[in-house]
Amino acid sequence: PPSSSSVPLRTCRDVRYPVSLRNERRAMELLLEVTSRALSGYPTSLEGDDADLTDEAAYPRYGNARNAKLQVRGEKEVLHHFALWARTAVHVIDIVLRELEAERRAAASGSSSSSGSSSSSGASGSNGGARRNEELGYDYVIRAMEDDDDCHTTILRYCSDVLGAVRRDELNRVASGAAGSGA
């Protein structure tokens, strides 16, 4: 057997590509569970901490109580960020999965579908043309995230680069499967 020194240590830096969209979705659901559980362990909310910190009598500048409150508030901010990341990723993954399913149906029926900027991916036209964000395509949602000044760069990059690469590969796989089957 190889010695431990000859086997390279695997770290998170080695992760370049998700195993699958479904696996990535489950990982994000787990991240959301972990952050929710951690946040529920605090006796106060982030909003409560913000309100407390406005009371300089109870939390004087440079005092230990204020510094402790700021530390805990920072922990909560990080947890809220990762919870938002997970919720956003699950939403985008669901959009991609709907687009892929529409492409598979189109390939099976021999027609071509366009999973793109504003294709509705299974949305019915009975809603008077008013589409909800969930029913809009991946490209539309990514553009909206890019235009949103409040969307954190790490969340945008993950959704556009990582999930986008998986989406592109899966769409190519569906297209090559359709071409190979004569559809």
Side-chain angles (χ1 to χ4, degrees):
S3 70
S4 61
S5 63
S6 67
V7 177
L9 179 63
R10 304 293 295 188
T11 69
C12 62
R13 290 180 183 204
D14 297 324
V15 176
R16 299 284 185 252
Y17 194 81
V19 173
S20 69
L21 283 170
R22 294 191 194 288
N23 187 73
E24 201 67 9
R25 187 181 197 291
R26 184 60 194 121
M28 288 296 153
E29 289 170 345
L30 181 60
L31 178 58
L32 191 54
E33 289 172 26
V34 168
T35 56
S36 295
R37 195 173 332 123
L39 284 166
S40 71
Y42 289 99
T44 60
S45 68
L46 179 62
E47 296 77 15
D49 291 348
D50 288 339
D52 288 348
L53 288 167
T54 62
D55 181 358
E56 287 198 29
Y59 297 97
R61 288 185 186 262
Y62 313 112
N64 288 340
R66 183 176 193 82
N67 289 336
K69 181 67 83 168
L70 287 168
Q71 172 65 35
V72 170
R73 183 185 174 280
E75 293 169 6
K76 292 174 190 176
E77 281 184 320
V78 170
L79 290 167
H80 278 282
H81 169 76
F82 280 102
L84 176 61
W85 185 337
R87 281 191 307 275
T88 303
V90 166
H91 177 75
V92 171
I93 290 168
D94 287 347
I95 289 169
V96 171
L97 289 172
R98 280 196 300 274
E99 285 183 347
L100 289 170
E101 186 55 38
E103 288 296 319
R104 287 185 190 101
R105 282 194 306 273
S109 69
S111 65
S112 76
S113 170
S114 156
S115 290
S117 58
S118 62
S119 67
S120 67
S121 302
S124 72
S126 63
N127 62 1
R131 293 182 181 142
R132 296 184 343 231
N133 258 357
E134 303 89 305
E135 297 171 334
L136 295 169
Y138 170 83
D139 293 328
Y140 175 88
V141 171
I142 294 300
R143 275 197 307 276
M145 289 171 70
E146 290 170 340
D147 293 342
D148 182 357
D149 292 336
D150 292 329
C151 182
H152 196 278
T153 304
T154 57
I155 297 172
L156 172 61
R157 293 281 54 98
Y158 172 79
C159 291
S160 66
D161 298 351
V162 176
L163 297 179
V166 178
R167 174 184 177 264
R168 190 173 41 256
D169 289 350
E170 288 296 322
L171 287 171
N172 287 338
R173 193 171 293 128
V174 169
S176 65
S181 68

